[in-house]
Amino acid sequence: MGNCLSCCNKSKDEQYEPLLADREREAVADLLNFLEDRNEVNFYSEEPLRALTILAYSDNIDLQRSAALAFAEITEKDVREVDRETIEPVLFLLQSPDAEIQRAASVALGNLAVNAENKALVVKLNGLDLLIRQMMSPHVEVQCNAVGCITNLATLDENKSKIAHSGALGPLTRLAKSKDIRVQRNATGALLNMTHSYENRQQLVNAGTIPVLVSLLPSLDADVQYYCTTSISNIAVDAIHRKKLAQSEPKLVRSLIQLMDTASPKVQCQAALALRNLASDERYQIEIVQSNALPSLLRLLRSSYLPLILASVACVRNISIHPLNESPIIDVGFLRPLVDLLSCTENEEIQCHAVSTLRNLAASSERNKRAIIEANAIQKLRDLILDAPVSVQSEMTACLAVLALSDEFKSYLLNYGICNVLIPLTDSMSIEVQGNSAAALGNLSSNVDDYGQFIECWDSPAGGIRGYLVRFLSSEDSTFAHIAAWTIVQLLEAGVPRLTAFIQSSDDIIELLNDIVARDVNNGEYEDGEGDVILLSGRALHLIEQDADA
């Protein structure tokens, strides 16, 4: 950085006067001395900052330029929390008509805005309005630095709404289409930082940002691709915005599918996540599969990079919700990789999405249930479920409950010892796990050729079938009591003498059934399914008495 002093002489007839005021001369000298020892000087302390401030507020353009360049250099090497005495002269320099001063001042402000406290202070001191003006500068360097500064400011949550309402989104959206890749990167990065709340996403949509982001997806720059893809992913979180995307961006899904095959893992990941968010809607669930996304998703699912696996399995999980997608997902070859992911104990979310997908695939087709069982899913679930996190247990028990609906496979499930893991889980701390486990046991209790597992597990493990029935009949939750009463009826109607004898000799079960029936004092008018519980309990008592008389 050089000394930018500029002097001139008046005419010989006029008395010579220095162009610089004495205090400006002193400030120049002081600053030069400080710069000589710059590695040891705190330029934010009183004397160095005083010298910089004098030059910044000077009427001399060269001195202002020197101050701006000094601020840019200092803030590049030393970023810390500062006060308004430091930021105000930088903001003043930002208003200069000189492009070089604007450029250097915006660099300094962007550097200072790396610090969280400074981000808030810049906005408080009206820095946004000045930066918006700089974004409309004809000079690319000034545009680039101004947008970069706003990108930094937008990483602070309290600034996001202020930026959204400041008038900055229009210029940011226009600069996202800049021919200069640096400006594009900064602008799309700033737009991304604005997509983390519904209110700001709405402001972006209103500013016409969506078509610009979609148009930039084919960019050859990986950073621009990443910023745009992630922005679209965030915007697609909202149902109202998904509807707008569906109406106005017919090429969006195919563009995202293409991005899953780029060389950048972070772009691939965000493309899959964007598709996942879009697939919250039925229309997109169908379109994604019809657009041939499944092979790319399967490739990501088989990778060794956990973020890619998570993004892919989350997307497939949403896609699998639609019944028409069940067979295509299976036919492409997802089953065994999904079953393998059940063992991904290092990532609970991956496990949840994998087993949830299997449950969805099993929902409406005996063929699909058979394919899932043939992929060794039952053994995996049995071996993993008791030691899995609660969230994973919830999904696994729900999956087992769906598989247990099939008369064809009930004996298979029982022979694999599923009762031994379901029974302890009926006493889980999680209401969902309890309910799912009991529902699975209930589904297994009807139309089975061999009830040997129910007999073997009557008293153990964990209190056995009897203990589970007692707990659920005692529950204040009518749904739980309903499951237990229904299961008892199924077991009694099976006509297995030993099983019937177990129930008949269980005084606690009979007492609880009588207690439920005794609630029938409301002439058949009940809420929350209590009437059904009373009817089932009465049916169970009738079967018990009938068998006892036989």
Side-chain angles (χ1 to χ4, degrees):
M1 182 187 309
N3 183 356
C4 296
L5 295 180
S6 176
C7 301
C8 64
N9 292 329
K10 295 188 178 182
S11 67
K12 294 181 180 180
D13 295 334
E14 295 178 331
Q15 182 181 358
Y16 172 83
E17 290 184 1
L19 179 61
L20 303 182
D22 290 341
R23 62 195 303 267
E24 292 174 337
R25 287 183 178 279
E26 291 173 4
V28 170
D30 290 341
L31 182 58
L32 290 173
N33 288 332
F34 291 134
L35 290 172
E36 286 292 328
D37 200 20
R38 68 187 70 194
N39 292 330
E40 305 298 327
V41 173
N42 174 10
F43 283 90
Y44 305 114
S45 61
E46 184 176 353
E47 288 304 314
L49 184 58
R50 183 191 66 82
L52 280 168
T53 302
I54 289 172
L55 301 185
Y57 287 111
S58 170
D59 291 332
N60 186 297
I61 194 73
D62 288 331
L63 295 188
Q64 285 189 346
R65 192 174 291 129
S66 292
L69 292 169
F71 272 119
E73 180 180 330
I74 292 162
T75 56
E76 180 71 27
K77 298 178 180 178
D78 183 9
V79 175
R80 63 179 75 181
E81 180 182 356
V82 298
D83 53 23
R84 64 188 304 146
E85 282 71 25
T86 299
I87 291 179
E88 283 181 335
V90 178
L91 293 176
F92 178 80
L93 290 169
L94 202 61
Q95 301 174 65
S96 170
D98 182 81
E100 180 62 18
I101 294 174
Q102 293 176 12
R103 185 200 65 77
S106 57
V107 167
L109 199 63
N111 292 339
L112 290 170
V114 171
N115 177 277
E117 288 75 15
N118 295 344
K119 293 172 188 177
L121 185 56
V122 169
V123 173
K124 182 179 179 181
L125 295 177
N126 202 35
L128 280 178
D129 287 346
L130 301 177
L131 289 167
I132 290 171
R133 291 181 209 166
Q134 303 310 309
M135 285 197 291
M136 293 184 276
S137 167
H139 301 284
V140 170
E141 293 290 337
V142 175
Q143 293 175 359
C144 188
N145 294 339
V147 175
C149 186
I150 288 183
T151 303
N152 287 345
L153 295 176
T155 60
L156 186 69
D157 286 342
E158 66 185 79
N159 282 348
K160 295 181 191 293
S161 179
K162 296 174 182 177
I163 293 171
H165 291 89
S166 69
L169 297 185
L172 282 173
T173 300
R174 288 193 294 274
L175 290 179
K177 298 182 289 184
S178 170
K179 295 181 180 179
D180 188 282
I181 193 62
R182 298 167 303 165
V183 177
Q184 266 197 10
R185 285 180 192 145
N186 285 347
T188 52
L191 293 172
L192 168 59
N193 287 339
M194 297 300 300
T195 62
H196 297 112
S197 75
Y198 173 79
E199 179 188 4
N200 293 341
R201 290 193 290 270
Q202 185 61 54
Q203 293 292 330
L204 286 169
V205 172
N206 294 342
T209 304
I210 284 180
V212 174
L213 293 172
V214 174
S215 71
L216 291 173
L217 290 177
S219 170
L220 298 178
D221 185 80
D223 288 331
V224 172
Q225 287 180 339
Y226 173 77
Y227 297 145
C228 292
T229 306
T230 310
S231 295
I232 290 170
S233 179
N234 292 343
I235 290 170
V237 167
D238 310 309
I240 188 172
H241 297 149
R242 291 195 297 273
K243 183 177 180 180
K244 186 174 183 65
L245 286 165
Q247 293 171 342
S248 64
E249 302 300 334
K251 297 181 180 179
L252 175 57
V253 167
R254 291 191 181 277
S255 294
L256 291 171
I257 292 171
Q258 290 173 355
L259 288 175
M260 287 195 293
D261 294 321
T262 62
S264 169
K266 68 178 185 179
V267 174
Q268 295 175 26
C269 185
Q270 288 303 321
L273 289 175
L275 289 170
R276 184 275 305 269
N277 290 340
L278 291 173
S280 298
D281 288 352
E282 180 178 302
R283 166 179 176 161
Y284 276 117
Q285 291 164 5
I286 292 294
E287 183 181 350
I288 289 168
V289 172
Q290 291 180 341
S291 299
N292 201 34
L294 292 178
S296 296
L297 286 168
L298 181 58
R299 181 180 56 77
L300 299 186
L301 192 77
R302 287 173 166 162
S303 76
S304 58
Y305 184 46
L306 281 181
L308 280 179
I309 298 171
L310 175 57
S312 174
V313 74
C315 183
V316 175
R317 185 262 176 194
N318 279 5
I319 292 171
S320 69
I321 293 172
H322 201 293
L324 293 179
N325 290 338
E326 292 174 13
S327 293
I329 291 172
I330 291 174
D331 293 342
V332 168
F334 272 91
L335 280 187
R336 290 201 176 274
L338 285 169
V339 171
D340 290 341
L341 289 180
L342 299 181
S343 301
C344 187
T345 54
E346 65 267 41
N347 192 296
E348 182 176 330
E349 198 173 354
I350 288 176
Q351 286 182 296
C352 283
H353 286 310
V355 71
S356 179
T357 303
L358 292 173
R359 181 195 66 206
N360 292 340
L361 296 177
S364 62
S365 165
E366 295 298 293
R367 167 186 175 269
N368 294 349
K369 289 184 178 70
R370 183 181 300 108
I372 290 169
I373 289 172
E374 290 174 352
N376 205 32
I378 302 304
Q379 181 177 342
K380 282 274 191 179
L381 292 170
R382 182 200 63 188
D383 294 345
L384 294 168
I385 194 168
L386 289 179
D387 295 322
V390 170
S391 64
V392 179
Q393 288 179 338
S394 179
E395 296 291 347
M396 287 182 168
T397 50
C399 183
L400 288 170
V402 170
L403 291 171
L405 287 168
S406 173
D407 290 343
E408 180 181 351
F409 304 116
K410 290 179 181 181
S411 294
Y412 182 90
L413 291 168
L414 290 169
N415 291 336
Y416 246 103
I418 288 301
C419 286
N420 289 295
V421 296
L422 289 174
I423 291 169
L425 292 175
T426 62
D427 198 23
S428 167
M429 294 183 296
S430 165
I431 298 296
E432 287 188 358
V433 173
Q434 290 180 36
N436 292 340
S437 301
L441 288 168
N443 292 340
L444 291 171
S445 68
S446 65
N447 300 322
V448 182
D449 294 333
D450 184 359
Y451 281 85
Q453 283 296 305
F454 285 91
I455 295 171
E456 183 178 326
C457 295
W458 182 252
D459 287 310
S460 66
I465 297 288
R466 185 191 64 79
Y468 136 63
L469 292 173
V470 168
R471 285 194 305 276
F472 272 56
L473 287 173
S474 305
S475 174
E476 295 180 0
D477 187 327
S478 61
T479 301
F480 277 21
H482 183 282
I483 294 172
W486 176 71
T487 302
I488 293 169
V489 169
Q490 300 303 313
L491 295 175
L492 289 168
E493 289 182 341
V496 179
R498 192 174 177 189
L499 201 51
T500 299
F502 280 153
I503 297 173
Q504 289 174 334
S505 63
S506 299
D507 294 338
D508 43 7
I509 289 178
I510 294 174
E511 181 180 352
L512 287 166
L513 290 171
N514 279 309
D515 288 344
I516 292 172
V517 171
R519 300 174 194 165
D520 191 10
V521 294
N522 294 328
N523 298 320
E525 295 182 6
Y526 300 97
E527 296 180 357
D528 299 328
E530 187 177 3
D532 291 337
V533 177
I534 291 172
L535 289 173
L536 281 169
S537 298
R539 171 67 177 160
L541 289 171
H542 173 73
L543 290 170
I544 291 170
E545 293 170 0
Q546 187 179 63
D547 288 330
D549 293 338

